[in-house]
Amino acid sequence: MKVDNKLSQNMRQSILIAAVICRKRNDPYTQFLGSDGNAYSDLRSAFGKHISIKQCELCKQRVQGPFYCRIAHEHLDVPDYDGGSSYECLRGLFKCSVDDLVERQHELLYGGEGSRKRKAIEPSPSILDGSKDNISSMDLMSEEVLLQIALFIPNLNGLISFCKTSKRMQKLLYTSVHSEKLFRGLFLQTFGKRGTVGNFEMNLSWRERWRMIYGLRRGLVHQQSSNMLRLNGTGANLRLPRQTLGVLSHAEESSALFYDNPEWSLTDDISNGYFGMKILHLPPPPDAANDWQPPVVCHGDFNGIKIFNSINAMFPNAQRRFVSLGDDEGGGQVLALIQCDMSPLTNEQTNRNQPSFFTGFASGRVAAVNATIAECGQKYNFSISGFHDAHVNEVTSLVFVNDIAPGGNSGKLLYSACGGGHVYCYPNALSPEHNFSMDESILTFSSNGAIFSMTSTVVDIGDHSSSIICTGDGEGKIRLWTRADEGLLARSLSEPVSFNQSETKFVPIQVKQAGTRTGLVTRMKFVHNNLLVTCTNNGDLRIWKLQCCNKPYRYSGGEKGPKPQLELKYDKMSLHNGAVEVVNNIGDILLTSGGNDGQVIGVDLNTGLILQSIDCHTGENLQHREGSTLLAKSCVVDIILSGKEASMISLCRDGTLQRWSFA
C-alpha cells in the first residue's frame, strides 16, 4: 500500500473505523469493507500490516500486538512502549457513536461526488456465501416483510447468518432504523428480564448490559489461572494491599476470618462479619454530578444497615460517607434485603413514594425503607417508612410474588419467611392506594421445619399464569408451592380489602432434594422464569428446569392441573468447599461463592460448565496454638456489578474489598 496515495490513506482510515465499529458492536474481527468498496477477510491482519500504531509497554511484554492493545483492550491512555503517542488517532473514533462511524464509512466510499454511482456499503453476497449471483429473493421483498421474518430468529448467530444472504438484509441489520429493534429484541429474548434487570444500575441501556455480559464472560474464560484477571484495568496478576469496608472495627473484621476457619480460632468470641451489600436501583437525582453513582447498602453483624453514597465511597482511599438506618429500632441484625422495581407508584393524596427496598431483621421484623431526594437535589435521604413484627423468629428471606387476577391484571405482593417455618404476606406494602402500609400481615402457609431460603416465579399453566413459591429447609429439601385460589387481586385495591385464609393459602405440589447429601438449603434463585438454582451448606449446587406436566395435581381442597414440577438439569456437587453464600446471574452466566476459599466461580447456565474462578481474598496467615500456620481466606458474601465502569466489586465476610475490571 503506497504511503502518499489518497486511496491508501482512505483504506487505512476505513481499517481504523471498521476496527472501532467491531469493538463497539462486539463483532468478530473478520471481514471489513474497504474504501474501494470491496470486502476483505481479515481485519486484524490488515490492521497489523497497514496501520502504524504501536502497543503499550505492558502489552509488548506480553507479546500482544497493537490491535489487541489499542482496539481489543482499548488502551487509549497509555503511551507507546517507546514513549510515543501513535494511538491518538483512535481517541476521536472511540468517542463517536456507531452511527457516526458508519456515516464516515459512507463518506470514504462515496466521497463528495453526488453524481458518482453509489457503491455497496455491505460485503457482496458472493464474498459472504460463495454465491456468484448478486440477485437474491430477499431483494424483492419490502423492508417491513424482511423485518417480520428477522424478528422470528431466536439467536444472534442465526440472525447474522440470515442477514448475510443479501445486501438488503445486511442493510436492515446494521444501518436501517430497525437495527435497534432487532438487536434489542434479540437481547431480551436471549437473556430475559431476570437475566439483566436487577444486576446493574437501573439507567443502563440494553447495549451497555449486553456489553457487560460479554465482557464478564470474556474475562472469565480468558483467565490463565484462578487468580489471573484484569484487575483495575491493568490485566496483571497482582496482589494489592488488603482493603476492608471498615464499618466493623479492625478487631471485629479480623475475628470474622475465624467464622470460615473455626478450627484455628483461639476463642469462642467470633464476629459474624458482613452479610451482604446491594447497589440500589435509583435514578440520578435532578442536580447530580456527571460522575454520580447509585448508593450501596451494606448489612452485617451490627444493628440495622449502613448506606454508602456510592461504590467508590466504600473503599478506604475515598472519603467514606455512610448513614446508619435501623440501628436504634430494636430490630437487631438485618438478615434479608430485597429491592423494589423503581416504578413511578405514588399516593397522590399523601405524595408518598413506593419504598426503595425492604429489610428482614433477626428479631422477626420486616421494615420498608424510603428514598427521597434531598433538598440540594444531588443525593438521596433514607428513612424507615413502616415496619411489622409478624414473625417471632429471625426473618431469613424476602420475595416478591406475582399475583395474576382473573381479569388479566397483575401485581406484586411482599412475602417473608422465617426460621420458624412461617411465611407471611403483606398485602398493602406495594399498594399506593393503601399508602404502602405495613400494618397488615397474613399467614400464607407454614412448613414442617425452618425455612432458610425462598424465591418465586410465574409459570404458564394451561390458558392462564400462576404464581410459584419455592422454599428450602434445614434438611436439604426444596418445596414447590402454588396458590390454592388465584383471586387474591381480583377486587379493586382502592376498595377495603378483607383477606381470608382461603384467598392467601398456598399448597405444596412437589418436594425435591437440593443436593446429593443432606444439608441446609442456603440459597435459591429463579434466574429465568423456568430455571431454578439451589445451593446447600455442603457446597452443592443444582440447576433445575421448571415445567408443567399434563397430569393434574391434587390437594385437600380438590384437583387442579396441570402440575408444575422441577426436573434436574445440572448437578454441581461440591462446587464450593462450604456453604454457598452468593448466587447471582448475569445474563447466561451464574456467579457463585461459598466456603472458605475466597473465590467467585462462574458457571455457564446453558451448559452447566465451569467457566473459571476468581480469587477475591489474598489470604491471611493464621498461627495455630500448636505452632503450625495456615494461609486462611474468607468467604465472598456478596458481589455487585457496575455496568457503567464494567467492573465487579466483591465483599468478603471479613470486610475485604476487591474491584475487578472486565472491560
Side-chain angles (χ1 to χ4, degrees):
M1 188 182 293
K2 296 182 179 180
V3 176
D4 297 328
N5 188 288
K6 183 178 180 180
L7 177 60
S8 66
Q9 295 175 0
N10 289 343
M11 284 293 292
R12 291 190 180 93
Q13 189 67 14
S14 66
I15 293 173
L16 289 173
I17 293 174
V20 176
I21 289 177
C22 287
R23 180 66 184 91
K24 284 179 171 288
R25 287 176 170 169
N26 290 330
D27 289 341
Y29 304 107
T30 52
Q31 297 174 339
F32 74 98
L33 187 67
S35 61
D36 58 355
N38 295 321
Y40 297 89
S41 60
D42 195 340
L43 177 59
R44 284 180 293 186
S45 177
F47 189 96
K49 290 180 180 178
H50 305 299
I51 303 300
S52 301
I53 292 180
K54 300 177 182 179
Q55 67 267 53
C56 66
E57 179 65 28
L58 181 61
C59 289
K60 184 174 178 62
Q61 292 177 0
R62 294 178 175 177
V63 199
Q64 290 184 341
F67 185 87
Y68 283 99
C69 176
R70 304 304 184 183
I71 300 296
H73 299 324
E74 294 186 32
H75 291 173
L76 304 178
D77 297 317
V78 186
D80 299 343
Y81 64 85
D82 58 1
S85 57
S86 61
Y87 57 90
E88 288 288 347
C89 60
L90 289 172
R91 283 187 172 182
L93 294 179
F94 270 98
K95 292 179 181 179
C96 296
S97 66
V98 173
D99 292 337
D100 291 337
L101 293 172
V102 171
E103 184 62 29
R104 290 195 183 191
Q105 276 188 328
H106 292 183
E107 293 175 359
L108 291 174
L109 279 169
Y110 311 137
E113 305 174 17
S115 60
R116 180 181 176 182
K117 185 178 180 180
R118 297 174 66 89
K119 299 180 180 180
I121 61 173
E122 295 86 15
S124 65
S126 61
I127 296 176
L128 291 171
D129 57 15
S131 173
K132 298 298 183 180
D133 187 4
N134 289 337
I135 299 178
S136 169
S137 60
M138 294 295 178
D139 296 328
L140 304 178
M141 299 182 184
S142 68
E143 190 171 273
E144 291 299 325
V145 173
L146 294 176
L147 174 64
Q148 295 304 316
I149 296 174
L151 288 175
F152 278 100
I153 300 176
N155 56 65
L156 181 61
N157 291 334
L159 180 63
I160 293 177
S161 298
F162 175 70
C163 290
K164 286 182 178 181
T165 57
S166 75
K167 298 177 183 179
R168 292 280 307 284
M169 292 303 300
Q170 287 276 321
K171 183 177 180 180
L172 177 72
L173 181 62
Y174 293 115
T175 62
S176 75
V177 294
H178 302 299
S179 177
E180 176 84 5
K181 183 176 182 180
L182 279 172
F183 278 113
R184 182 179 184 276
L186 189 63
F187 168 74
L188 294 177
Q189 183 176 345
T190 302
F191 300 113
K193 186 175 181 180
R194 284 181 179 268
T196 56
V197 177
N199 296 311
F200 309 99
E201 303 92 331
M202 69 160 293
N203 58 338
L204 293 184
S205 68
W206 67 269
R207 290 180 183 271
E208 290 173 316
R209 296 174 192 272
W210 203 338
R211 187 176 298 114
M212 181 62 185
I213 295 170
Y214 174 80
L216 179 60
R217 175 179 287 273
R218 183 180 58 184
L220 287 168
V221 172
H222 289 177
Q223 291 186 86
Q224 297 179 5
S225 64
S226 61
N227 54 4
M228 284 289 291
L229 190 69
R230 296 192 61 203
L231 178 59
N232 295 334
T234 63
N237 181 8
L238 300 176
R239 284 188 178 272
L240 297 181
R242 181 169 172 260
Q243 304 177 89
T244 63
L245 190 61
V247 172
L248 296 171
S249 67
H250 177 72
E252 289 173 320
E253 290 184 336
S254 300
S255 172
L257 189 64
F258 294 103
Y259 184 97
D260 299 308
N261 303 274
E263 66 277 9
W264 291 80
S265 176
L266 301 178
T267 176
D268 294 332
D269 186 16
I270 299 176
S271 169
N272 294 323
Y274 299 95
F275 303 156
M277 60 179 177
K278 294 290 183 292
I279 184 170
L280 296 180
H281 305 150
L282 296 172
D287 299 327
N290 293 332
D291 59 348
W292 180 86
Q293 293 178 327
V296 177
V297 58
C298 174
H299 56 113
D301 194 4
F302 46 82
N303 292 337
I305 56 176
K306 311 296 181 184
I307 304 177
F308 291 84
N309 285 344
S310 65
I311 294 175
N312 291 335
M314 300 171 63
F315 287 84
N317 57 348
Q319 184 178 2
R320 296 192 187 187
R321 294 181 179 178
F322 63 83
V323 295
S324 300
L325 202 62
D327 53 347
D328 57 351
E329 299 291 336
Q333 303 167 340
V334 170
L335 305 180
L337 188 150
I338 187 171
Q339 294 197 66
C340 302
D341 295 332
M342 290 308 297
S343 57
L345 290 178
T346 305
N347 186 311
E348 297 180 357
Q349 295 181 353
T350 63
N351 198 30
R352 185 172 178 180
N353 293 325
Q354 172 182 293
S356 175
F357 58 92
F358 295 90
T359 56
F361 288 81
S363 64
R365 172 172 297 178
V366 175
V369 179
N370 268 34
T372 56
I373 298 175
E375 292 185 3
C376 63
Q378 299 178 346
K379 63 178 183 178
Y380 285 92
N381 291 331
F382 297 90
S383 62
I384 293 180
S385 57
F387 61 85
H388 195 83
D389 296 310
H391 298 278
V392 296
N393 300 92
E394 68 276 10
V395 177
T396 56
S397 185
L398 297 170
V399 299
F400 294 130
V401 177
N402 289 276
D403 284 274
I404 313 298
N409 298 322
S410 63
K412 285 187 176 181
L413 297 178
L414 174 67
Y415 285 71
S416 63
C418 72
H422 304 299
V423 174
Y424 281 87
C425 168
Y426 305 85
N428 301 321
L430 295 173
S431 170
E433 290 81 4
H434 294 84
N435 209 26
F436 307 106
S437 172
M438 292 290 296
D439 294 338
E440 185 178 3
S441 65
I442 302 169
L443 179 62
T444 303
F445 62 86
S446 297
S447 183
N448 295 331
I451 297 176
F452 292 98
S453 53
M454 181 170 65
T455 186
S456 72
T457 189
V458 174
V459 63
D460 292 329
I461 303 177
D463 57 353
H464 71 284
S465 299
S466 179
S467 300
I468 297 292
I469 291 179
C470 187
T471 60
D473 62 19
E475 298 179 353
K477 289 182 172 57
I478 57 176
R479 289 178 171 85
L480 280 185
W481 307 74
T482 190
R483 286 175 47 93
D485 185 350
E486 296 295 337
L488 182 59
L489 295 184
R491 58 172 59 92
S492 172
L493 289 178
S494 61
E495 303 172 359
V497 180
S498 176
F499 293 91
N500 56 56
Q501 291 297 323
S502 64
E503 289 176 319
T504 60
K505 183 179 180 181
F506 272 71
V507 293
I509 55 176
Q510 190 181 27
V511 179
K512 287 285 188 179
Q513 198 70 26
T516 54
R517 299 163 292 174
T518 301
L520 184 148
V521 184
T522 56
R523 295 290 184 271
M524 59 170 49
K525 182 179 182 181
F526 278 104
V527 293
H528 299 300
N529 283 351
N530 65 339
L531 210 60
L532 173 69
V533 178
T534 61
C535 309
T536 71
N537 62 343
N538 294 321
D540 297 339
L541 181 144
R542 284 185 165 182
I543 301 176
W544 309 79
K545 184 177 181 180
L546 179 64
Q547 57 188 6
C548 291
C549 67
N550 294 325
K551 182 179 179 181
Y553 64 93
R554 297 186 179 187
Y555 68 101
S556 58
E559 184 177 284
K560 297 185 71 174
K563 176 185 176 182
Q565 63 178 9
L566 292 172
E567 179 182 342
L568 184 61
K569 190 175 181 182
Y570 302 114
D571 188 358
K572 312 298 293 184
M573 183 177 177
S574 300
L575 182 66
H576 293 280
N577 64 358
V580 178
E581 298 283 354
V582 174
V583 175
N584 199 348
N585 70 296
I586 311 300
D588 56 355
I589 303 169
L590 184 69
L591 298 177
T592 72
S593 70
N596 63 353
D597 54 9
Q599 290 185 342
V600 170
I601 296 179
V603 179
D604 190 326
L605 284 170
N606 298 319
T607 63
L609 299 177
I610 296 177
L611 298 174
Q612 192 51 274
S613 60
I614 310 168
D615 282 331
C616 297
H617 196 283
T618 56
E620 295 289 324
N621 287 314
L622 300 181
Q623 187 168 1
H624 198 267
R625 56 173 61 92
E626 298 176 355
S628 57
T629 59
L630 167 73
L631 183 65
K633 295 186 177 183
S634 183
C635 177
V636 180
V637 294
D638 220 334
I639 55 176
I640 57 178
L641 291 105
S642 172
K644 291 293 185 183
E645 298 183 356
S647 62
M648 182 187 82
I649 294 89
S650 61
L651 172 67
C652 294
R653 197 184 311 277
D654 68 345
T656 299
L657 284 170
Q658 289 277 30
R659 189 196 300 263
W660 307 90
S661 173
F662 293 96

